[in-house]
Amino acid sequence: MPHDLFPPGIQHTLDLAGIFVFATAGALLAVRKNFDVFGICVLALVTALGGGLFRDIVIGAVPPAAFGELSFFVTPLVAAAIVFFLHPEVQRINRAINVFDAAGLALFCVTGTTKAYEFGLGLTASASLGLATAVGGGVLRDMLVNEVPSLLRDREMYAVPAIVGASMVAVFIGVGMLNPLTTGLAIITTFVLRLLAIRYHWRAPLAWNRRSAVAEEP
């Protein structure tokens, strides 16, 4: 049985916010790659909805929200249209991608964790699915543009901030303290960690005592 952690309106708003910012990140990347308008829309949709589709299929929320809620499908297209007409000059696109992607990561790791718990998963499984929700769309996006997914090459701690945010939500649920304030704290913590990792080039550890005559790939 769902645990009703949030009123449906709050959960829906958080989902839409995550969808919008991830769609914007995907659309900006499509612009940087010189995709046409169809490619921009596709990348926005995939980035925004990929992780949520995976989450809903795993927890048995079928049909997935992306197909049951028109707003979930329209929101990425609105973001794509905004980017198509109003994207910043090329030299600033990469920075915008990073900011919107960090925001989407933060929102989706939280909403993914709470929704998984509402559908009866345990705290650890819910946090794991929150991580999958946050990174799933980005993995599909990177694969479509022929880049190694950030999840696999955690140069600037892409997955780690999402793990922290999802774990914070799971802990707050476990101690009965999940509310809008603590949810906001988890979102902000994830967002700030990701931006700091980008700014200061923090990265997850490589293989222990790694030595090779071949230079590390960029």
Side-chain angles (χ1 to χ4, degrees):
M1 291 290 291
H3 297 275
D4 296 325
L5 297 173
F6 291 113
I10 294 179
Q11 182 72 44
H12 186 72
T13 300
L14 289 172
D15 281 336
L16 286 179
I19 287 170
F20 181 83
V21 293
F22 255 161
T24 302
L28 285 168
L29 181 58
V31 171
R32 196 184 78 189
K33 294 289 185 177
N34 291 320
F35 286 12
D36 62 17
V37 63
F38 182 75
I40 293 172
C41 291
V42 168
L43 213 59
L45 285 164
V46 167
T47 308
L49 303 179
L53 283 171
F54 176 78
R55 172 201 65 201
D56 289 349
I57 291 171
V58 169
I59 64 179
V62 292
F67 295 103
E69 288 278 349
L70 182 61
S71 58
F72 285 1
F73 187 79
V74 171
T75 299
L77 297 180
V78 172
I82 292 172
V83 170
F84 181 80
F85 289 107
L86 302 176
H87 68 82
E89 50 267 40
V90 174
Q91 61 266 29
R92 296 183 181 176
I93 288 179
N94 194 58
R95 179 176 296 180
I97 292 171
N98 289 333
V99 172
F100 279 99
D101 190 65
L105 192 77
L107 285 162
F108 270 23
C109 74
V110 169
T111 59
T113 303
T114 56
K115 188 168 183 178
Y117 186 75
E118 287 175 346
F119 275 77
L121 272 67
L123 294 177
T124 301
S126 296
S128 299
L129 200 52
L131 170 63
T133 305
V135 303
V139 169
L140 292 173
R141 174 198 66 201
D142 292 344
M143 292 174 65
L144 284 175
V145 299
N146 200 31
E147 293 184 357
V148 177
S150 300
L151 177 65
L152 303 181
R153 294 291 303 275
D154 210 4
R155 282 195 187 87
E156 294 166 342
M157 292 207 320
Y158 187 77
V160 171
I163 293 172
V164 171
S167 299
M168 288 178 65
V169 173
V171 169
F172 288 141
I173 293 173
V175 298
M177 291 179 58
L178 189 69
N179 54 52
L181 180 62
T182 54
T183 297
L185 178 62
I187 291 171
I188 292 171
T189 300
T190 305
F191 180 68
V192 171
L193 274 177
R194 173 59 179 154
L195 291 184
L196 287 174
I198 294 170
R199 173 66 178 82
Y200 295 106
H201 305 290
W202 295 344
R203 65 181 301 170
L206 297 174
W208 178 256
N209 203 27
R210 178 181 181 270
R211 292 187 178 91
S212 174
V214 179
E216 181 184 347
E217 293 183 11

